[in-house]
Amino acid sequence: HSLLFSHSWTGVGCHPQTRHVVAIALQDQSLGGALPSTLTLQGLPELQGLFLVNTGLIGTLPPTYTGLKQLKALSLVGNMLSGSFPVAWTAGLKQLQLLNLARNQLTGTLPATVTDMPKLQVLNLTGNQFTGPIPSSWAKFGSRLQQLDVSSNRLTGTLPTEFGALSGLQTLRASNNLLTGQLPDAWLGMKGLVYLSLGSNKLNGTLPAAWGRGMLALRNVSLQDNEIAGTLPSSWKSLSKLQSIQLQFNLLTGPLPESWSALAALGALQLNANALNGTLPASWGAWKSLMMIDVAGNKLRGTLPASYGNWGALYAGVYANNQLSGSLPDEWLNMRGRLPAITSSDVYNVWVV
């Protein structure tokens, strides 16, 4: 049933038939103070959604919220809540499907038993001060969990190999932490993953060639600002839905794969600030959706491929600080309407913006 929001009480949603309160949604209001007491909310036995976003709340998360037996969605984004995650919630909030505690001041370790919430699909803990590792036990979510965001915390340790069991996960964000170790080959089991963001950590090792065999739903891969080495996997040519690849500021070496010309949906490619060598593949001119490419700050040599003049959607290309030589191809002049910085003069480290 769609909610009926009261005309008398701002942000209060009622059931259209029973008129019982089923949702409270307040945003960008200076409420201040602590969260509503459990006793107060238990007076609303049909409450299914509690959304208090950017409302200036302080204090801790009440363990007694386990009494909210019908709660399906809890969002407390952008407040000043502190303390640890109440372990009691994982045993009591059995109907919860969405839990969003982003941008608060929560501390302690990530709750290993959150998998005890049998219906949880979305877990967002970004922008807090959690420490310690990402629990490998979260692999018990199996196909249930759809979105997981633990970015911008103080997490350490390695990426759990067991997460290959999260076959239903669509979004995984763990960027801006202190994570170390390698990217697990076993993650190819995350066959439904669409968005992967692990940038600004201390990850090392190589890019898993195995991902090209399993993670076929991937659209966005963000691994920038790590310590990833090795070559660009030719097998990633099979990731046909990829739209954005961010691998800048790593330690990548070797040539640019000709086979990546098969990435027909690619719209943005950032490989700058690595140690890639070889030439710019002429076959990449087959891309029809490319809007931005940055390969600056590598060890690329040779000339600028004439075929890149076919990039009809391109609005930004950066090739500076390489070892390129030769003249700007005449075919590139077709892009002058979108890229006014293009000139026909000889270029060695051309920068097109």
Side-chain angles (χ1 to χ4, degrees):
H1 298 285
S2 60
L3 296 183
L4 174 67
F5 275 83
S6 169
H7 294 291
S8 302
W9 300 335
T10 300
V12 176
C14 302
H15 192 284
Q17 276 79 45
T18 67
R19 302 301 177 102
H20 290 165
V21 174
V22 294
I24 299 174
L26 298 172
Q27 182 171 349
D28 300 327
Q29 300 186 33
S30 299
L31 299 181
L35 284 164
S37 70
T38 307
L39 182 62
T40 299
L41 295 177
Q42 283 181 331
L44 306 172
E46 295 187 24
L47 186 67
Q48 298 179 21
L50 180 60
F51 306 89
L52 302 174
V53 178
N54 297 328
T55 50
L57 294 170
I58 59 174
T60 59
L61 302 173
T64 52
Y65 270 21
T66 53
L68 305 177
K69 301 298 185 182
Q70 302 303 315
L71 199 64
K72 295 181 179 179
L74 176 59
S75 179
L76 303 173
V77 176
N79 288 289
M80 293 177 284
L81 300 169
S82 58
S84 59
F85 185 97
V87 176
W89 285 13
T90 66
L93 297 176
K94 296 298 187 182
Q95 301 301 315
L96 203 64
Q97 299 175 19
L98 179 149
L99 178 57
N100 193 341
L101 303 176
R103 304 201 310 276
N104 279 284
Q105 300 170 13
L106 300 174
T107 56
T109 57
L110 297 175
T113 57
V114 74
T115 53
D116 292 342
M117 296 178 173
K119 296 187 178 181
L120 194 64
Q121 299 176 14
V122 177
L123 178 59
N124 191 337
L125 302 174
T126 186
N128 282 284
Q129 300 171 25
F130 288 111
T131 57
I134 300 174
S136 60
S137 61
W138 285 4
K140 295 178 182 178
F141 276 119
S143 61
R144 287 184 286 135
L145 194 65
Q146 297 178 10
Q147 297 181 32
L148 175 60
D149 192 341
V150 293
S151 58
S152 299
N153 281 282
R154 300 173 182 175
L155 301 177
T156 55
T158 60
L159 299 172
T161 301
E162 296 86 348
F163 274 21
L166 298 176
S167 59
L169 196 64
Q170 299 173 15
T171 300
L172 174 55
R173 293 188 172 98
S175 58
N176 196 24
N177 281 290
L178 301 170
L179 299 171
T180 57
Q182 301 186 9
L183 302 170
D185 285 352
W187 280 20
L188 64 86
M190 292 193 283
K191 298 184 183 301
L193 196 65
V194 177
Y195 300 99
L196 176 62
S197 177
L198 300 172
S200 298
N201 281 288
K202 297 181 178 181
L203 299 172
N204 53 41
T206 59
L207 298 172
W211 288 7
R213 300 195 303 268
M215 303 173 74
L216 302 182
L218 271 179
R219 294 183 186 177
N220 294 76
V221 177
S222 298
L223 299 171
Q224 73 278 8
D225 193 19
N226 280 288
E227 299 170 7
I228 300 170
T231 59
L232 301 175
S234 176
S235 62
W236 283 23
K237 67 182 179 181
S238 300
L239 304 178
S240 59
K241 295 184 179 180
L242 271 179
Q243 298 175 359
S244 175
I245 302 175
Q246 294 182 317
L247 295 171
Q248 67 270 32
F249 294 100
N250 277 289
L251 304 173
L252 296 168
T253 58
L256 305 178
E258 292 271 357
S259 61
W260 281 20
S261 61
L263 300 176
L266 194 63
L269 178 61
Q270 292 179 261
L271 300 172
N272 48 297
N274 281 284
L276 297 165
N277 55 41
T279 60
L280 292 167
S283 61
W284 286 9
W287 291 332
K288 302 299 183 184
S289 302
L290 193 70
M291 294 183 289
M292 191 275 284
I293 182 171
D294 191 343
V295 294
N298 283 285
K299 299 178 180 179
L300 300 174
R301 54 181 172 75
T303 58
L304 301 171
S307 60
Y308 291 8
N310 298 324
W311 288 341
L314 192 74
Y315 69 83
V318 185
Y319 308 88
N321 299 321
N322 279 288
Q323 300 168 19
L324 300 169
S325 59
S327 303
L328 193 70
D330 290 341
E331 290 81 357
W332 284 37
L333 300 181
N334 298 330
M335 298 187 286
R336 293 190 71 170
R338 298 183 309 282
L339 305 172
I342 288 183
T343 69
S344 58
S345 61
D346 288 353
V347 289
Y348 293 89
N349 294 306
V350 65
W351 186 345
V352 183
V353 293

